[in-house]
Amino acid sequence: MVALCRELLISDISGDNLVDAIVILTDSALDTGHVEAIDQVLELIREAISRCPAGSHTASNALAQILTVRSAMNSSIGDSQEAIALFDKIATSQPLGDKTNPSRSDALYWAAVVANSQYISYPNLENLEEAMSRVRTALVDSSPEDNPQLTQYLEKFKKARLLIRFLLLRHQEDLDEAVLLLQMSIDYICMNPPDKLRDACSWVAIARRFSHPSVSTAYETAMSCMQTSLIFAPTLHTQHAHLIAVEEANKIPLEYASYQVQTGRLEEAIQTLERGRALLWSEMRGLRTSIDQLSSAHPALATKLTIINQDLETLMTSIPPGSTGDIDEDGAPGEAGMDAFSKFLKKQRTLLNERDALTSQIQGLPGFENLLKMPSFGMLRSAASRGPVIIINHCSLRSDIILVLHDSPPSLIPITEDFYHRANELADRLSDTRKKHILESMQYRRALRYVLEELYELVGQPVIDKLHDLNIPERSRIWWCPTSVFCSLPLHAMGPIQSKDKVKRYFSDVYISSYTPTLSALIKSREPSVETSDPPSLLVIAPPDTSLVGVGEEIEVIRRTLGSSIDIGVLDATPKITTESLRHHRLAHFTCHGILEEGKPFEASFILHGGKRLTLLDIVRSRLPTAEFAFLAACHTAELTGGSIADEALHLTAAMQHCGFRSVVGTMWAMADADGRDLAEHFYSSMFSGRDKGIPYYERSAEALRDAVQKLRREKRVSIERWVNFVHYGA
């Protein structure tokens, strides 16, 4: 066919057959991508184009297209100018709104593309102005309704060139127009949520960098787009994939909070961090919001809301058929899973619409105006009712340590100028060493000691100084609410701290540390529990495993330590039976393997009977209203899965909190088998010592862990990576 077309071009034919031959030859040359083929066809077309029918622009368009490609290949200004002239000729010969092919808007669009490429090849002010002019002309003629993608593409050109011209000439109107274009693109109905979020992130970056008046609006828009992107993802898997797909969005809450601190709005900064972090846990927690007051006043509405929330939770914690492992770069299932995904999405949207309408109705009732709304700062500060909460906002633009107290305004703790970069270096050193060396190696121990010493200088010393200034007694409790890389750093074990008696002390010896993903999670852990009998019963989940030789001794130690004071049950069962059994016990102790799956946070799991896995998602689905405390004597239970988002806190310890446990002890990495036995003995001896009568057992667990770790460190003299490993989450 190509050879025949070549013969037609050098023959004497004319009319439509000649036009068709030109189009076929052009497509063939462009498909090859070879300069020689393009040069040969270009000359043939030049000779034949004069014989084409008058008023037909198809041949001119083909010539312009091939010139466009060649100009991009050899940066030829002559080819660029000739292509632009041809596109102009096509455009000016057709009336506004003409839909013939090639259309006027297509020609103007391609003229703008070529002018833009010309500027990239020869970046000077003259070419920049021509590119700007061409883009403006094309935008005037384009219609978002007829060709939304073309319009968006042109506007991206225009935004980029406006910003370049602003950087060159510092004309404020260029920056204002670029910001306006970003706002307009976010408002396009046809634009998908991930792209809206990306544009919102671009707006934030531009506005913050150049101190544009729209900074706060940009951040609010970006935060809103983050929430909207989750609405278009019906399950936890796809929601997490959406957040992963737009990596820059995960920094937005931290950046916004840093801006609010910079402008003296600490309370708003705390609310922003609460609203923008741990989004998946917050969404799930919202579906389990207590509605006891509503049930008493309006039982029918309460029942309806409960049913909708349960249906949404079932949907969110399910896996759409055909979508597993087939997620594209925007966090949506691949083509094979689209039918199932579409059904899930439709069902989710229906439920969300019903929930929104019902929520609006309820919020219109006296006394229920704030139901399901984001908590006020007044409510958030109640998280510090048992002791200070220390929020660490790790952000490249400005990092801060914020101290939250329940009875006075939040305050800042001074930090060094290199705080952000030093924290990154410490996290990288710990992570890189673990990848290269085993936990028991001298290399890892040296790295961990270095990290703890540096952390104390970076965070520990300033925090202790501030707590002393506020007369917060030593040995009292404090809570860490970290962000970013601090989610994986052992803040509780910072040190050693120099002392006059030469005894090595660490942060946990001075203040009893607990962690919380968010303030709301901590508040939730202290809500009044279901009335239960005392003493509590303890369920030990201990599947037999020849690789865990210390499990039997660990069970025996627990029995011996607690004696007959509480009922102890030992369970070796499937995941389903395990979650059912947990409903009948206030305390739980897992002694088994814990594993992580790289890039699959919802598949983090405990290995139970017969090798069956109790996954993070299984735990999230559970509802344990009487649960109080869980000890997770398994590897990696408070460790983030590789490839997941740090600020989402997707680990087994957080999942246990979500399903009902008020306090949880977890592990930051793999644990030694022998430590389960020794730690359990000291832990339960302290927790059930009787010295804290009247205090719920779950609130005794943080101090009990501190006591047990001290004994492990001082009496057993275990190596540093073993005692640092254990962390406390919750009340």
Side-chain angles (χ1 to χ4, degrees):
M1 176 64 76
V2 173
L4 177 61
C5 290
R6 286 177 180 273
E7 291 179 15
L8 288 173
L9 255 64
I10 60 176
S11 69
D12 293 331
I13 69 157
S14 59
D16 291 340
N17 289 335
L18 181 58
V19 173
D20 291 341
I22 288 174
V23 171
I24 292 170
L25 267 181
T26 300
D27 291 343
S28 173
L30 295 179
D31 285 343
T32 66
H34 295 145
V35 176
E36 296 81 3
I38 289 173
D39 288 343
Q40 291 174 11
V41 170
L42 191 58
E43 293 310 311
L44 286 171
I45 293 174
R46 285 189 195 281
E47 293 173 10
I49 203 166
S50 61
R51 303 198 308 275
C52 290
S56 171
H57 299 298
T58 304
S60 296
N61 184 66
L63 178 58
Q65 292 288 351
I66 208 164
L67 283 165
T68 297
V69 172
R70 194 170 76 168
S71 71
M73 295 173 77
N74 59 19
S75 300
S76 167
I77 195 78
D79 285 348
S80 296
Q81 293 294 345
E82 186 179 357
I84 289 172
L86 285 165
F87 286 129
D88 279 347
K89 182 180 178 182
I90 295 169
T92 54
S93 64
Q94 298 184 70
L96 187 67
D98 188 271
K99 305 296 182 185
T100 58
N101 189 27
S103 70
R104 172 188 172 90
S105 60
D106 287 341
L108 291 173
Y109 166 77
W110 279 108
V113 169
V114 177
N116 191 65
S117 299
Q118 182 175 280
Y119 167 72
I120 293 171
S121 298
Y122 301 95
N124 56 49
L125 193 56
E126 181 183 352
N127 287 339
L128 176 61
E129 293 292 356
E130 179 171 6
M132 292 281 296
S133 175
R134 294 282 176 186
V135 170
R136 289 182 192 279
T137 302
L139 275 170
V140 168
D141 198 82
S142 68
S143 167
E145 292 77 18
D146 292 337
N147 198 336
Q149 289 182 325
L150 183 147
T151 302
Q152 289 173 33
Y153 196 57
L154 285 168
E155 289 189 345
K156 285 183 179 179
F157 274 157
K158 189 177 180 183
K159 281 177 286 192
R161 300 304 161 241
L162 280 165
L163 289 171
I164 290 171
R165 193 166 72 177
F166 169 74
L167 290 171
L168 290 171
L169 304 177
R170 294 290 166 169
H171 291 163
Q172 183 64 32
E173 58 268 26
D174 285 342
L175 182 61
D176 292 341
E177 189 176 356
V179 166
L180 180 62
L181 283 170
L182 282 164
Q183 290 177 271
M184 290 168 58
S185 68
I186 294 166
D187 290 337
Y188 279 149
I189 296 174
C190 56
M191 200 174 201
N192 67 50
D195 285 341
K196 283 177 183 273
L197 182 52
R198 289 187 184 95
D199 274 359
C201 292
S202 297
W203 179 10
V204 161
I206 292 165
R208 181 81 180 262
R209 179 181 174 185
F210 299 114
S211 301
H212 193 267
S214 65
V215 175
S216 291
T217 307
Y219 275 122
E220 284 294 335
T221 303
M223 296 278 283
S224 177
C225 286
M226 285 180 72
Q227 295 285 353
T228 302
S229 71
L230 298 185
I231 291 174
F232 284 87
T235 70
L236 289 174
H237 284 86
T238 49
Q239 287 178 353
H240 186 255
H242 269 257
L243 294 174
I244 289 282
V246 190
E247 185 179 357
E248 61 270 33
N250 299 310
K251 302 172 186 175
I252 291 295
L254 311 189
E255 289 185 5
Y256 191 14
S258 78
Y259 177 72
Q260 289 168 321
V261 172
Q262 182 181 315
T263 52
R265 296 177 286 160
L266 262 65
E267 293 184 4
E268 291 179 41
I270 292 166
Q271 288 179 282
T272 293
L273 289 171
E274 191 70 15
R275 173 179 153 208
R277 297 176 58 254
L279 291 172
L280 304 185
W281 291 125
S282 296
E283 190 176 12
M284 292 295 293
R285 191 163 50 247
L287 298 177
R288 296 187 179 186
T289 300
S290 173
I291 54 172
D292 292 343
Q293 186 181 352
L294 181 66
S295 298
S296 299
H298 305 279
L301 291 177
T303 300
K304 188 175 180 181
L305 181 60
T306 299
I307 292 171
I308 292 173
N309 282 343
Q310 288 175 348
D311 288 346
L312 274 169
E313 183 174 331
T314 300
L315 190 70
M316 284 181 63
T317 56
S318 61
I319 303 173
S323 70
T324 308
D326 190 19
I327 302 293
D328 69 20
E329 63 178 7
D330 283 332
E335 188 174 341
M338 279 306 296
D339 287 345
F341 178 75
S342 299
K343 291 177 182 177
F344 269 66
L345 185 58
K346 184 178 179 180
K347 184 176 180 181
Q348 180 220 31
R349 294 309 301 275
T350 299
L351 287 169
L352 284 173
N353 289 338
E354 290 178 5
R355 188 171 186 260
D356 288 346
L358 184 59
T359 300
S360 296
Q361 181 184 351
I362 293 169
Q363 289 172 349
L365 298 171
F368 296 96
E369 295 84 358
N370 295 318
L371 186 73
L372 300 178
K373 287 185 178 179
M374 286 299 299
S376 64
F377 175 74
M379 180 176 290
L380 291 176
R381 77 191 312 174
S382 68
S385 61
R386 306 282 204 281
V389 178
I390 301 156
I391 300 172
I392 305 180
N393 187 28
H394 179 250
C395 174
S396 61
L397 301 178
R398 175 200 170 106
S399 293
D400 293 286
I401 302 178
I402 307 172
L403 184 70
V404 182
L405 301 172
H406 77 285
D407 56 357
S408 58
S411 58
L412 293 178
I413 296 175
I415 59 173
T416 57
E417 289 185 4
D418 59 353
F419 184 91
Y420 177 79
H421 297 291
R422 283 177 68 186
N424 282 338
E425 289 168 4
L426 295 177
D428 289 342
R429 177 174 289 214
L430 208 56
S431 175
D432 292 345
T433 308
R434 281 178 61 191
K435 290 174 184 175
K436 296 175 184 175
H437 305 282
I438 60 173
L439 288 171
E440 299 83 2
S441 67
M442 285 305 301
Q443 292 92 335
Y444 187 71
R445 288 171 187 168
R446 280 197 296 266
L448 182 56
R449 286 193 189 98
Y450 174 80
V451 168
L452 295 178
E453 289 172 8
E454 289 290 303
L455 268 179
Y456 179 71
E457 182 184 329
L458 195 66
V459 178
Q461 183 67 66
V463 167
I464 288 176
D465 290 345
K466 183 69 172 182
L467 295 175
H468 284 169
D469 289 345
L470 294 170
N471 296 317
I472 306 295
E474 290 191 3
R475 299 180 65 83
S476 59
R477 295 191 64 186
I478 62 106
W479 279 262
W480 297 102
C481 186
T483 70
S484 184
V485 299
F486 282 99
C487 295
S488 299
L489 288 171
L491 297 165
H492 61 286
M494 297 180 288
I497 302 169
Q498 298 301 320
S499 60
K500 294 178 181 179
D501 57 11
K502 305 298 182 182
V503 175
K504 272 189 178 181
R505 295 198 305 162
Y506 292 83
F507 193 95
S508 57
D509 297 318
V510 183
Y511 290 99
I512 301 170
S513 289
S514 296
Y515 293 86
T516 184
T518 61
L519 301 182
S520 297
L522 183 54
I523 294 167
K524 176 74 175 176
S525 70
R526 295 182 184 139
E527 286 182 354
S529 57
V530 176
E531 289 296 326
T532 53
S533 59
D534 206 82
S537 60
L538 171 68
L539 180 66
V540 180
I541 294 90
D545 191 315
T546 54
S547 64
L548 296 175
V549 295
V551 168
E553 293 181 19
E554 188 172 339
I555 296 170
E556 187 56 38
V557 159
I558 293 172
R559 289 189 187 279
R560 186 172 65 247
T561 302
L562 297 179
S564 58
S565 60
I566 69 169
D567 180 38
I568 301 173
V570 178
L571 182 68
D572 168 26
T574 62
K576 185 176 181 180
I577 293 174
T578 298
T579 53
E580 279 297 317
S581 300
L582 286 170
R583 295 178 64 86
H584 308 295
H585 299 269
R586 288 157 58 188
L587 311 179
H589 186 102
F590 282 74
T591 174
C592 57
H593 281 299
I595 60 170
L596 303 179
E597 292 282 349
E598 181 77 19
K600 299 177 180 179
F602 299 104
E603 294 183 29
S605 56
F606 298 106
I607 305 300
L608 302 185
H609 177 82
K612 295 291 177 72
R613 295 186 178 190
L614 176 64
T615 67
L616 184 147
L617 199 59
D618 293 329
I619 297 166
V620 169
R621 293 183 182 118
S622 305
R623 289 175 180 260
L624 308 175
T626 62
E628 290 189 9
F629 169 75
F631 194 123
L632 310 182
C635 299
H636 314 295
T637 54
E639 182 178 350
L640 295 167
T641 302
S644 65
I645 301 167
D647 285 305
E648 285 304 304
L650 294 173
H651 48 66
L652 290 166
T653 298
M656 295 296 283
Q657 267 194 287
H658 173 75
C659 75
F661 287 98
R662 310 311 184 92
S663 295
V664 185
V665 168
T667 52
M668 297 190 75
W669 43 72
M671 66 172 282
D673 189 19
D675 291 343
R677 175 198 61 211
D678 296 333
L679 199 70
E681 179 180 5
H682 301 313
F683 176 84
Y684 288 111
S685 293
S686 175
M687 189 172 176
F688 287 88
S689 64
R691 69 185 175 199
D692 297 317
K693 288 185 177 179
I695 297 176
Y697 290 106
Y698 62 87
E699 289 194 17
R700 305 179 196 179
S701 57
E703 185 174 2
L705 179 64
R706 193 276 310 273
D707 294 345
V709 167
Q710 279 184 344
K711 288 182 181 291
L712 204 63
R713 191 176 87 222
R714 295 172 181 173
E715 295 178 11
K716 299 291 183 179
R717 298 191 177 279
V718 301
S719 53
I720 191 167
E721 81 284 351
R722 288 168 63 178
W723 65 263
V724 172
N725 192 14
F726 298 96
V727 290
H728 182 273
Y729 274 75

